[in-house]
């Protein structure tokens, strides 16, 4: 009897341990899913109407088209044979398990900052999703970019391997935000100037740049003249990141994708940490260079035509003084994205309109109508010149040619 | 004092709350679908009645299921038109459903048919194809799916009235060339594949001459049987 009892107790203990291990494992998987959201893996590794993480999405680059890979646990076509070490190596070093070089369209220059524990959690999550049999499509890169050895040069210039190192002089919250923004969030992939080699130098991180192939301008996160958040309240920043709309502005285009697939799923503490960090990295801006190439007479004619276009077509939502009805109808007065040196985004918004992403916090967003079919190039240039210079805004006028060029910018 | 007049206290509190809500609302866009779909109106009209641009279709009064299918197809890129693909890319299903329901419930009057630019013979050919089809060439009559009155059937088959010839012709072309696809079996792709350029011109022209019927509403689901399978209208 005594021995029977002890066997039963032993069995119970074993069951409990198994259950605890199971719980612990499902905690890790849940944590990995959350982190995969923070890394926005799905944006690239899931094709439209495709299976989750089965890849196959075309990524046009200036060097040709890359196709994203299958990261489901299928052993033949996915990453089913990979170990956690292999996965960490891709994230941390930008190399396949066999040592092959990964194209830097995969943001390993940011993911290198991710901790081993977080990498393992993401891997555990990817192991838990349904395997999909789908062969990877070969990349279509032009000569000479089809030679992977060229990546070595790129890596020497632009890749600094290494996990995130907290700054002991800053708060834990700031450091958490920095870890998310610089690491999984891979914000610098768009918000830094990209040079002709497809690289970003460390000193230019977060200084803003035109996103190649998409022709949207990803504003600087450090200059308050662009998307620097130095004079934003923490609440406005967290609203923008979590819901897509805020009292100061609204996200559209590629940033709508990021909020839709990634940022809306982050918890309040992480969102706040990112906001604290982003607010902290803004720098006082130098005075803007006088950059308008238009003669004064032309720009003053444009601006007066612009006012009449604005009063007729825009004021009913954005207000006669550009005050808008935030958060849904964004203000245009004192709105950095209207005033910043690149006029690409305001011109695109006038031409194509847009919807902010539908999010948990803003499930039925209000949309901006496209005016491409209603306004001439001259009228588009005029109204954009007007909103960039009216109500104390300090942008510069734009030409009809700039408006015309963006009519053919890719939309989708 | 309020303890003695609880109703009064409640009324004051309610009024104060309403006042706050009114102030809030004054600074906000109207909380309506009409305000939310303003992005659609430059091309499709304020109530989805269409605009002067012959390539942009009327949306009003089409079956909600049909409109929802189109919104899903534009969002995923299955139906290709970059300005629409771009607008819808990050909108969730329930919102697209609400947009579809909104335009389905609008009933601005159908436009007067415009005088046709094609000959009587071409119109007659269009009428023949639309009402009888051409069995020898495996072309079903439009009316066999879109209904005897061409007003469509709930939930997924659109009416064909109030559309300009240019739009219908462009859509049949888009099916033939694969820019427009629908759930399998993609019945319209099959049908369009059997049409010649001349057939498309004739059918599109004849449809555009049809006057508004007394009741332009789509008929209820199951009013008639479809001649073949259609992914957009599962049985």
């Amino acid at each position: 009897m005594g021995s029977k009892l002890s066997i039963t107790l032993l069995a119970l203990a074993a069951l409990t341990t198994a259950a605890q291990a199971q719980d612990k494992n499902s905690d890790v998987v849940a944590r990995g899913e959350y982190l995969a959201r923070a890394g926005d893996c799905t944006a690239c590794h899931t094709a439209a109407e495709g299976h989750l993480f089965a890849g196959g999405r075309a990524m046009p680059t200036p060097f040709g088209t890359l196709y994203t890979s299958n990261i489901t646990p299928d052993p033949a076509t996915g990453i089913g044979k990979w170990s956690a070490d292999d996965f960490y190596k891709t994230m941390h070093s930008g190399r396949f398990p066999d040592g092959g070089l990964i194209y830097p369209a995969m943001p390993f220059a940011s993911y290198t900052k991710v901790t081993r524990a977080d990498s393992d959690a993401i891997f555990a999550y990817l192991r838990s999703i349904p395997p999909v049999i789908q062969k990877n499509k070969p990349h279509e890169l032009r000569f000479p970019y089809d030679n992977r050895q060229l990546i070595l040069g790129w890596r020497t210039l632009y890749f600094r391997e290494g996990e995130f190192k907290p700054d002991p002089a800053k708060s834990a919250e700031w450091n958490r935000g920095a870890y998310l923004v610089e690491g999984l969030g891979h914000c610098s992939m768009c918000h830094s100037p990209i040079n002709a080699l497809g690289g970003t130098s460390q000193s230019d991180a977060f200084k803003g740049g035109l996103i190649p192939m998409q022709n949207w301008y990803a504003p600087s996160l450090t200059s308050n003249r662009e998307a620097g958040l130095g004079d934003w309240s923490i609440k406005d920043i967290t609203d923008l990141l979590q819901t897509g709309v805020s009292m100061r502005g609204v996200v559209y285009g590629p940033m709508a994708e990021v909020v839709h697939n990634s940022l809306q799923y982050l918890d309040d503490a992480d969102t706040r940490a990112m906001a604290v960090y982003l607010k902290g990295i803004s720098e006082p801006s130098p005075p803007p260079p006088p950059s308008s190439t238009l003669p004064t007479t032309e720009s003053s004619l444009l601006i007066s035509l612009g006012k009449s276009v604005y009063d007729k077509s825009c004021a009913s939502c954005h207000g006669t003084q550009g005050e808008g009805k935030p958060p849904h109808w964004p203000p245009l007065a004192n709105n950095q994205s209207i005033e910043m040196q690149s006029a690409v985004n305001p011109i695109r918004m006038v031409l194509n309109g847009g919807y902010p992403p539908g999010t948990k916090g803003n499930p039925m967003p209000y949309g901006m109508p496209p005016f491409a079919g209603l306004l001439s190039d001259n009228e588009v240039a005029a109204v954009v010149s007007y909103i960039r210079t009216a109500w104390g805004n300090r942008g510069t006028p734009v030409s009809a040619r700039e408006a015309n060029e963006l009519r053919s910018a890719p939309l989708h | 004092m309020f303890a003695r007049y609880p109703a009064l206290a409640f009324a004051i509190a309610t009024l104060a709350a309403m006042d706050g809500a009114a102030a809030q609302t004054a600074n906000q866009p109207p909380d309506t679908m009409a305000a939310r779909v303003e992005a659609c109106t430059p091309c499709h009209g304020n109530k989805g009645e269409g605009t002067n641009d012959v390539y942009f279709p009327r949306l009003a009064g089409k079956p909600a299921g049909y409109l929802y299918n189109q919104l899903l197809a534009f969002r995923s890129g299955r139906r290709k038109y970059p300005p629409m693909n771009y607008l819808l890319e990050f909108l969730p299903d329930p919102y697209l459903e609400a947009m579809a329901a909104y335009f389905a419930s609008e009933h601005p009057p159908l436009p007067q048919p415009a005088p046709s630019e094609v000959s009587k013979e071409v119109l007659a050919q269009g009428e023949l194809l639309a009402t009888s089809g051409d069995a020898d060439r495996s072309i079903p009559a439009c009316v066999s799916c879109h209904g005897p009155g061409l007003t469509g059937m709930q939930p997924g088959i659109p009416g064909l009235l109030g559309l300009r010839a240019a739009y219908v012709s462009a859509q049949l072309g888009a099916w033939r060339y694969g820019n427009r696809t629908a759930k399998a079996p993609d019945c319209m792709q099959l049908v369009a594949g059997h049409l010649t350029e001349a057939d498309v011109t004739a059918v599109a022209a004849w449809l555009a001459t049809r006057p508004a019927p007394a009741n332009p509403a789509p008929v209820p689901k199951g009013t008639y049987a479809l001649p073949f399978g259609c992914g957009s209208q599962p049985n």
Side-chain angles (χ1 to χ4, degrees):
Chain A
M1 161 93 193
S3 67
K4 251 191 184 172
L5 182 64
S6 59
I7 288 171
T8 314
L9 279 175
L10 261 179
L12 268 177
L15 273 176
T16 315
T17 317
Q20 278 171 348
Q22 184 79 34
D23 273 0
K24 200 176 164 208
N25 191 44
S26 63
D27 283 355
V28 171
V29 167
R31 179 91 195 129
E33 179 173 14
Y34 177 85
L35 294 165
R37 294 273 200 197
D40 203 2
C41 312
T42 192
C44 296
H45 285 283
T46 306
E49 294 198 325
H51 293 287
L52 181 68
F53 293 132
R57 179 174 172 170
M59 308 282 291
T61 79
F63 316 110
T65 301
L66 295 165
Y67 292 93
T68 60
S69 55
N70 181 345
I71 55 170
T72 71
D74 178 60
T77 62
I79 61 171
K81 288 183 186 154
W82 289 25
S83 65
D85 283 345
D86 291 336
F87 185 74
Y88 181 69
K89 190 153 120 185
T90 61
M91 294 282 282
H92 189 75
S93 310
R95 284 180 182 270
F96 289 108
D98 66 2
L101 298 164
I102 295 178
Y103 281 107
M106 156 81 177
F108 61 82
S110 303
Y111 291 169
T112 190
K113 302 200 176 204
V114 174
T115 63
R116 176 69 199 231
D118 281 356
S119 171
D120 286 354
I122 296 171
F123 184 65
Y125 163 64
L126 291 175
R127 300 281 303 176
S128 77
I129 62 171
V132 178
I133 302 172
Q134 181 173 303
K135 271 194 162 174
N136 290 330
K137 223 174 152 176
H139 300 317
E140 293 163 2
L141 290 176
R142 287 190 308 278
F143 177 82
Y145 308 110
D146 51 353
N147 178 355
R148 278 194 190 246
Q149 292 309 307
L150 289 180
I151 302 173
L152 279 175
W154 186 94
R155 291 170 65 105
T156 309
L157 289 169
Y158 306 115
F159 179 46
R160 298 290 169 271
E161 186 172 311
E163 283 188 16
F164 176 75
K165 296 272 181 296
D167 179 346
K170 305 282 190 190
S171 68
E173 193 172 47
W174 187 98
N175 276 305
R176 175 69 181 162
Y179 174 70
L180 289 167
V181 168
E182 296 177 14
L184 282 172
H186 64 282
C187 308
S188 69
M189 281 290 279
C190 293
H191 288 283
S192 300
I194 309 270
N195 58 34
L197 296 173
T200 301
S201 68
Q202 303 280 313
S203 58
D204 280 344
F206 304 124
K207 294 274 167 68
L210 195 70
I211 308 175
M213 312 307 284
Q214 297 192 27
N215 279 5
W216 280 94
Y217 182 76
S220 165
L221 298 179
T222 54
S223 166
N224 287 340
R225 194 166 298 294
E226 297 201 350
L229 300 166
D231 65 349
W232 283 47
S233 72
I234 293 292
K235 180 174 181 340
D236 286 340
I237 306 173
T238 55
D239 282 350
L240 189 79
L241 298 180
Q242 260 182 338
T243 69
V245 297
S246 78
M247 296 302 280
R248 297 291 297 267
V250 173
V251 299
Y252 297 101
M255 193 61 198
E257 184 279 312
V258 177
V259 170
H260 181 258
N261 289 327
S262 173
L263 296 175
Q264 68 161 317
Y265 297 100
L266 297 197
D267 63 31
D268 292 349
D270 278 347
T271 309
R272 194 186 146 83
M274 289 175 81
V276 165
Y277 171 71
L278 288 169
K279 190 175 165 72
I281 60 171
S282 71
E283 298 159 355
S285 306
S291 58
S292 176
T293 51
L294 294 184
T296 320
T297 45
E298 191 179 337
S299 58
S300 62
L301 274 174
L302 265 179
I303 289 167
S304 77
L305 169 63
K307 179 169 170 21
S308 70
V309 174
Y310 182 86
D311 289 342
K312 180 165 162 276
S313 301
C314 319
S316 61
C317 294
H318 292 289
T320 51
Q321 298 303 309
E323 71 277 18
K325 290 193 175 183
H328 296 296
W329 289 345
L332 305 181
N334 190 29
N335 178 328
Q336 293 143 282
S337 65
I338 305 293
E339 300 174 80
M340 62 193 181
Q341 192 174 353
S342 167
V344 163
N345 296 359
I347 293 172
R348 288 193 66 136
M349 286 307 298
V350 170
L351 287 172
N352 308 317
Y355 269 97
T359 56
K360 281 182 287 180
N362 186 34
M364 299 209 294
Y366 291 78
M368 155 101 180
F371 285 91
L374 302 176
L375 301 179
S376 67
D377 292 341
N378 216 27
E379 288 169 321
V380 172
V383 78
V384 173
S385 297
Y386 176 69
I387 61 173
R388 277 163 68 79
T389 53
W391 323 300
N393 280 357
R394 289 174 302 167
T396 49
V398 301
S399 68
R401 189 177 153 195
E402 287 171 81
N404 179 272
E405 282 170 356
L406 286 166
R407 281 187 190 269
S408 56
L411 277 172
H412 189 255
Chain B
M1 174 194 149
F2 284 163
R4 290 174 60 193
Y5 301 100
L8 178 64
F10 178 76
I12 290 173
T14 309
L15 279 174
M18 279 174 61
D19 199 38
Q24 181 79 12
T25 318
N27 280 327
Q28 288 299 304
D31 186 9
T32 59
M33 279 308 292
R36 288 187 165 84
V37 300
E38 272 189 41
C40 318
T41 61
C43 301
H44 295 288
N46 281 333
K47 291 178 177 298
E49 71 276 20
T51 55
N52 288 334
D53 192 310
V54 294
Y55 288 101
F56 296 143
R58 172 188 178 89
L59 306 177
K62 288 192 177 166
Y66 167 77
L67 293 175
Y68 181 51
N69 281 344
Q70 301 318 303
L71 290 169
L72 292 176
F74 279 125
R75 189 184 62 186
S76 70
R78 177 192 283 278
R79 184 173 174 184
K80 291 185 184 64
Y81 183 63
M84 283 295 292
N85 302 140
Y86 158 76
L87 280 173
L88 301 177
E89 196 170 2
F90 306 116
L91 300 182
D93 292 357
Y95 190 25
L96 298 184
E97 241 178 319
M99 285 181 170
Y102 170 76
F103 284 113
S105 70
E106 289 293 330
H107 300 290
L110 283 161
Q112 288 296 319
S116 185
E117 290 168 4
V118 303
S119 68
K120 273 185 188 160
E121 290 73 25
V122 171
L123 282 178
Q125 165 69 5
E127 177 171 13
L128 187 68
L129 278 172
T131 56
S132 309
D134 185 342
D136 292 347
R137 294 193 287 142
S138 304
I139 300 171
C142 304
V143 296
S144 64
C145 295
H146 293 275
L150 293 165
T151 57
M153 177 158 69
Q154 299 283 4
I157 299 183
L160 300 179
L161 301 174
L163 301 171
R164 268 74 56 101
Y167 172 75
V168 174
S169 166
Q171 297 312 303
L172 290 168
W175 260 302
R176 293 168 71 197
Y177 298 116
N179 285 334
R180 181 170 178 175
T181 62
K183 286 180 206 155
D186 188 352
C187 47
M188 276 309 299
Q189 192 165 41
L190 299 174
V191 174
H194 294 138
L195 298 176
T196 63
E197 293 280 347
D199 293 335
V200 169
T201 307
V203 168
W206 182 76
L207 286 172
T209 64
R210 296 294 80 208
N215 178 11
V219 298
K221 182 181 182 184
T223 302
Y224 49 86
L226 300 181
F228 48 82
C230 176
S232 302
Q233 179 91 348
N235 281 319

